[in-house]
Amino acid sequence: MAGPVQSIERAAAILRLLAQGSGRLGLGEVSAALGLAKGTAHGILRTLQSVDFVEQDKETGKYQLGAALLHLGTSYLDINELRSRSINWADALAARSGEAVRLGVPLEGKVLIVHHVFRPDDTFQTLDVGSLLPLHASALGKVLLAFGATPLEPVMEAEPEGYTRHTLTSHQQLGRALGEIREAGWAAAVQEMIMGEADIAAPIRGQGGLVVGAIGVSGSVERLCDSRGRPDPPLVGLVRDAARAVSRDLGAARW
Amino acid sequence: MVERYVLSIDQGTTSTRCILFDHQGRLVSVAQREHQQYFTQPGWVEHDATEIWANLGRIVPRALENAGVGPGQVAAIGIANQRETTVLWDRRTGVPIGNAITWQDTRTDALVDELRRTTGDDFFLDRCGLSPTTYFSAPRIRWLFDHVDGLRERAERGEVLFGTVESWLIWNLTGGPDGGLHITDATNASRTMLMNIRTLSWDEELLGYFGVPRAMLPEIRPSAERYGVARALLPDVRIGAALGDQQAALFGQTCFAMGEAKCTYGTGSFLLMNTGTDPVRSRHGLLTTVGYKIGDEPTVYALEGPIAVTGSLVQWFRDRLGLIHSAPEIETLARTVEDNGGCYIVPAFSGLFAPHWRSDARGVVVGLTSYITKGHLARAVLEATGWQTREVIDAMNADSPEPLKALKVDGGMTANNLLMQFVADVLDVPVVRPMVSETVSLGAAYAAGLAVGYWPDLEGLRRNWHRAGQWMPTMDPARREAEYENWRRAVERSLGWMRS
Ligand SMILES: Nc1ncnc2c1ncn2[C@@H]1O[C@H](COP(=O)(O)OP(=O)(O)OP(=O)(O)O)[C@@H](O)[C@H]1O
């Protein structure tokens, strides 16, 4: 195994330093206190600032701990912001795929639908925003579970409900499925919640690659899958492209 | 068969965008570039027309590249543009006379006040359908004549040309000093205060009144027609359409029938309703404007209600009060409470626009009690956009033969579900969001595609329009009435705050 990463150790030291005393230090003070070259300290401070762990006072130029550190445990991306940032990509996905598009985030052991674009066929549809889906029986939910956006244990403790004969209810089934999803980078749920219905989803990543939500298409099995019930590859490609586009907009560099 | 596309240019206030659309009206590629804003004096806002033309030279090739498309695959070019912004340039050299004066520029306010005082609104309303405001181009030309030595004489000799931005771009695209087409379309011309709203030709009396020589004016053409082919940037590609941006959005939203309306919710908001082939003279504070004119077909008119402050109130809440970090967070904050707690905000930052037109109004926050939290304020901010929309719709319903049945919406604020539901609630009609949010660009593309036969007819375009989301009214009528009454009382309190 590789040894500790030096810049992370130094970043941790800077955060500890800022957490002490008055908590406001200039660049010179930080570099002197830790015995770092000014350039090095500055680079680390700038990076910490870009992830909101550190803030710089506009007038004095001094650094202090950032607000994001206080909310580390809670979701850092506002759901309404997520909708605003993804709305154009979600529209494009619906237009290209011809299917309804939904965005989900984890909320108290469920998937909360935060955005919904109608299937572009002008039939009567109603907005699903605000409704909840089970994590284990939807592609959106399985993506959130697979990429660590929400923990699996509570789902297993609550004994996952079997909606259809295709629903994954055992720890073993679900564990294997999540492994495959991590491997493939996308998920499908075919008739796992409602017979005749399917959805396909991929992860939306924020800064640093953290998965903050999932985007996907949903509709009837005949349209989303081939005759053997396997998700249509071009459709999967469109979903993954949209997820990557939103992720890039949110600042996930590599995806 | 090689796929063909329509290329749309949206020359906006802050940036210029070039978008390619395919036959289903789907967006294929986008390239965009911002241009500099010049705030040379308080109230002045200028653009450099040369920079805007140069930006076009960069984004057009990029949009083609992004899609892997050659100029030969472009069926037509359509242009939508910021309206009323005034460009003057030298016919021989193609060099602009100073910066373009934008629609936001208020340097003509004293002149406009004088026009209204000495001549009265009716003279203008009868001829161009507008009452004087600092938006429109004619007072700006007059201002330039009064402030630039020898300019009027040069214009009379035909050495200096006037145009709004689409004229400037088309002239440059078609050869510039070397035989460039000097034309405008009826929607843009309808914002100059110089065009007769019924005949769609330059009005002798208005020209005389403002002292604008005919020699400097572009020829007024339909919004969709084969104007000619480009020689620069996209050699031999046909230019098929030009429309003012809000009219382009009306067209992109396929509001082709009388009574259909759209509202674009951005920094400010613009509500336009198709009123059919007769111009409706507003008695309730709306502007009469050309909606679009397709080739030889009858002119379609629109009523317009501009609202000055909608998204910018959210920006104010974010940047000046610092209560949120991003505009969308206002919805999160507003949802921390059930209702407005009795609080109303009238954002008359620089007076009220349609339908009040009161420059003496200033913003008010009313109904404050110790109970009010920032959540209530966030609600009041969003509700202000809803009620301002309602006031414009009431004016439209009073003026127009056809009442509103549904409102089509676009713009950045339509990502806000709470707001869209509120708009549906206070209007008591469904609010519908289309799948292509770039309605301005799409409208220009549609008109151009129609002109060259890329799309057959309006019905074909309608089939491309798809609903992406819809909000149905659910508010209890008694509650709606009571809240509207409160809003009206709040508006009353904003009036007359500025003493002249
Ligand atoms: N989710 C939201 N809720 C409320 N207001 C929003 C939201 N998202 C954006 N806004 C507001 O909408 C405005 C931006 O919308 P939009 O991008 O359509 O503006 P615009 O006027 O068209 O600008 P431009 O001409 O540069 O495109 C801003 O004023 C912003 O405050």
Side-chain angles (χ1 to χ4, degrees):
Chain A
M1 212 186 96
V5 179
Q6 196 183 37
S7 56
I8 294 181
E9 285 185 330
R10 287 173 170 169
I14 290 179
L15 292 176
R16 288 210 173 89
L17 185 67
L18 291 175
Q20 291 163 8
S22 79
R24 282 161 205 262
L25 298 174
L27 174 60
E29 292 165 298
V30 172
S31 55
L34 300 177
L36 294 173
K38 267 196 179 172
T40 310
H42 187 239
I44 296 172
L45 280 165
R46 286 284 295 276
T47 307
L48 288 170
Q49 209 182 339
S50 73
V51 297
D52 297 330
F53 280 15
V54 160
E55 287 168 8
Q56 188 179 21
D57 189 280
K58 282 201 193 81
E59 253 127 63
T60 63
K62 294 199 176 211
Y63 294 92
Q64 64 189 74
L65 292 183
L69 270 184
L70 307 174
H71 308 289
L72 258 187
T74 54
S75 162
Y76 73 95
L77 184 68
D78 182 89
I79 55 169
N80 294 305
E81 171 122 31
L82 177 60
R83 179 184 324 107
S84 263
R85 304 274 284 272
S86 50
I87 194 163
N88 283 339
W89 301 112
D91 282 351
L93 177 57
R96 281 179 198 297
S97 66
E99 301 298 335
V101 171
R102 292 180 302 179
L103 249 85
V105 300
L107 179 77
E108 293 164 0
K110 298 260 191 233
V111 184
L112 172 69
I113 301 298
V114 296
H115 184 47
H116 173 198
V117 184
F118 291 166
R119 190 174 57 248
D121 61 6
D122 298 322
T123 54
F124 183 79
Q125 299 163 66
T126 50
L127 281 180
D128 266 352
V129 176
S131 59
L132 297 166
L133 299 178
L135 282 168
H136 68 286
S138 62
L140 290 171
K142 289 196 288 181
V143 162
L144 298 175
L145 285 172
F147 294 97
T150 186
L152 177 60
E153 293 75 29
V155 176
M156 293 319 303
E157 275 160 26
E159 288 195 15
E161 190 178 336
Y163 297 97
T164 69
R165 61 196 153 83
H166 302 290
T167 313
L168 309 177
T169 50
S170 78
H171 199 287
Q172 205 191 4
Q173 282 175 320
L174 209 51
R176 193 170 51 227
L178 297 182
E180 285 166 12
I181 291 166
R182 274 191 292 273
E183 200 55 25
W186 58 277
V190 180
Q191 314 201 83
E192 291 172 31
M193 193 163 67
I194 298 169
M195 288 309 287
E197 302 273 308
D199 71 329
I200 302 170
I204 296 176
R205 296 176 186 274
Q207 253 182 18
L210 205 62
V211 171
V212 293
I215 185 171
V217 294
S218 53
S220 72
V221 180
E222 297 94 81
R223 285 201 315 270
L224 266 59
C225 302
D226 65 15
S227 56
R228 272 179 286 175
R230 283 178 314 204
D232 176 46
L235 212 47
V236 171
L238 290 175
V239 170
R240 298 189 70 191
D241 286 348
R244 270 191 290 261
V246 177
S247 301
R248 267 196 305 272
D249 254 10
L250 293 176
R254 287 193 297 114
W255 288 272
Chain B
M1 202 184 86
V2 189
E3 175 92 55
R4 285 162 68 80
Y5 305 89
V6 175
L7 182 142
S8 149
I9 295 164
D10 172 9
Q11 203 305 297
T13 307
T14 54
S15 72
T16 309
R17 258 188 293 214
C18 178
I19 302 188
L20 280 175
F21 289 97
D22 68 12
H23 207 266
Q24 276 117 65
R26 295 181 308 199
L27 192 151
V28 176
S29 84
V30 189
Q32 177 168 6
R33 199 173 166 88
E34 293 196 0
H35 56 265
Q36 183 119 22
Q37 311 285 321
Y38 296 91
F39 305 101
T40 39
Q41 293 192 32
W44 292 26
V45 191
E46 302 179 346
H47 293 158
D48 175 359
T50 307
E51 180 190 1
I52 289 176
W53 168 240
N55 284 352
L56 201 60
R58 296 177 189 228
I59 59 174
V60 167
R62 249 203 289 142
L64 295 179
E65 243 165 64
N66 289 349
V69 163
Q73 283 168 273
V74 179
I77 304 169
I79 300 175
N81 57 287
Q82 53 170 324
R83 304 177 302 173
E84 300 125 10
T85 294
T86 302
V87 192
L88 263 60
W89 69 93
D90 185 305
R91 180 199 291 275
R92 258 180 322 121
T93 62
V95 177
I97 316 285
N99 280 335
I101 308 178
T102 73
W103 61 276
Q104 299 153 300
D105 188 298
T106 54
R107 78 183 64 185
T108 57
D109 54 0
L111 178 60
V112 164
D113 282 346
E114 192 194 309
L115 300 181
R116 299 189 70 170
R117 218 180 33 249
T118 56
T119 311
D121 288 355
D122 280 341
F123 172 79
F124 302 102
L125 284 168
D126 287 342
R127 288 162 182 82
C128 63
L130 309 168
S131 53
T133 75
T134 56
Y135 275 174
F136 307 122
S137 321
R140 272 189 204 115
I141 301 178
R142 167 90 165 259
W143 186 94
L144 284 166
F145 285 166
D146 292 345
H147 289 82
V148 181
D149 274 345
L151 188 61
R152 187 193 305 265
E153 292 71 26
R154 291 176 64 200
E156 277 163 1
R157 288 196 299 270
E159 293 167 18
V160 169
L161 301 180
F162 156 82
T164 35
V165 182
E166 84 296 351
S167 299
W168 165 249
L169 295 180
I170 293 173
W171 189 78
N172 279 293
L173 275 171
T174 54
D178 187 15
L181 283 175
H182 188 217
I183 59 175
T184 182
D185 94 294
T187 66
N188 277 297
S190 78
R191 316 294 292 189
T192 56
M193 294 196 77
L194 295 172
M195 188 190 80
N196 186 295
I197 191 75
R198 270 170 292 272
T199 62
L200 303 198
S201 55
W202 299 119
D203 186 284
E204 282 307 334
E205 277 180 287
L206 288 168
L207 294 188
Y209 182 90
F210 286 104
V212 172
R214 192 178 268 273
M216 76 186 306
L217 296 177
E219 185 190 344
I220 303 173
R221 303 278 289 267
S223 323
E225 191 188 42
R226 300 179 184 199
Y227 299 139
V229 297
R231 290 168 62 189
L233 295 184
L234 290 159
D236 296 328
V237 178
R238 290 173 293 192
I239 306 174
L243 300 105
D245 51 12
Q246 296 305 324
Q247 280 89 343
L250 185 75
F251 204 73
Q253 286 272 28
T254 65
C255 293
F256 300 144
M258 188 151 86
E260 287 189 308
K262 70 91 201 176
C263 188
T264 301
Y265 287 103
T267 314
S269 294
F270 295 87
L271 215 156
L272 273 76
M273 179 190 265
N274 180 326
T275 58
T277 50
D278 288 318
V280 172
R281 168 143 175 202
S282 175
R283 283 176 305 277
H284 298 89
L286 303 170
L287 311 176
T288 307
T289 198
V290 174
Y292 52 88
K293 177 163 174 63
I294 305 301
D296 302 333
E297 290 170 34
T299 310
V300 172
Y301 290 92
L303 278 172
E304 170 173 333
I307 306 169
V309 178
T310 52
S312 52
L313 182 62
V314 177
Q315 275 165 305
W316 172 81
F317 196 73
R318 182 193 63 195
D319 300 337
R320 302 283 173 174
L321 300 190
L323 292 172
I324 45 175
H325 292 101
S326 71
E329 271 178 42
I330 196 158
E331 183 173 353
T332 312
L333 184 55
R335 284 188 192 274
T336 60
V337 292
E338 286 295 306
D339 55 29
N340 61 20
C343 181
Y344 301 83
I345 300 179
V346 181
F349 287 167
S350 46
L352 285 172
F353 286 19
H356 303 285
W357 299 105
R358 288 286 294 261
S359 55
D360 62 350
R362 282 301 175 273
V364 293
V365 183
V366 297
L368 284 183
T369 61
S370 61
Y371 167 77
I372 296 297
T373 64
K374 56 186 177 179
H376 297 112
L377 291 175
R379 285 237 170 207
V381 162
L382 295 177
E383 292 184 2
T385 291
W387 291 121
Q388 291 187 98
T389 309
R390 168 72 192 260
E391 291 180 325
V392 169
I393 290 294
D394 281 0
M396 293 211 166
N397 283 340
D399 278 334
S400 141
E402 197 74 32
L404 182 82
K405 288 199 232 17
L407 182 67
K408 294 178 169 179
V409 296
D410 50 70
M413 292 182 96
T414 57
N416 192 312
N417 277 313
L418 186 65
L419 173 62
M420 291 301 111
Q421 182 60 51
F422 189 73
V423 172
D425 281 341
V426 302
L427 299 184
D428 200 19
V429 296
V431 166
V432 192
R433 186 177 81 80
M435 199 148 289
V436 175
S437 55
E438 304 289 347
T439 54
V440 171
S441 298
L442 186 63
Y446 276 176
L450 215 52
V452 302
Y454 182 78
W455 284 296
D457 52 22
L458 296 184
E459 268 321 299
L461 297 178
R462 244 189 220 291
R463 278 194 294 278
N464 279 344
W465 187 94
H466 296 296
R467 207 182 283 130
Q470 169 160 285
W471 295 267
M472 303 300 281
T474 56
M475 194 185 264
D476 166 51
R479 165 122 190 277
R480 178 186 305 126
E481 269 323 298
E483 285 293 312
Y484 194 18
E485 180 57 29
N486 288 344
W487 166 261
R488 280 191 289 230
R489 291 195 299 140
V491 169
E492 260 165 47
R493 277 158 183 78
S494 76
L495 302 177
W497 179 256
M498 286 298 280
R499 300 226 188 98
S500 49

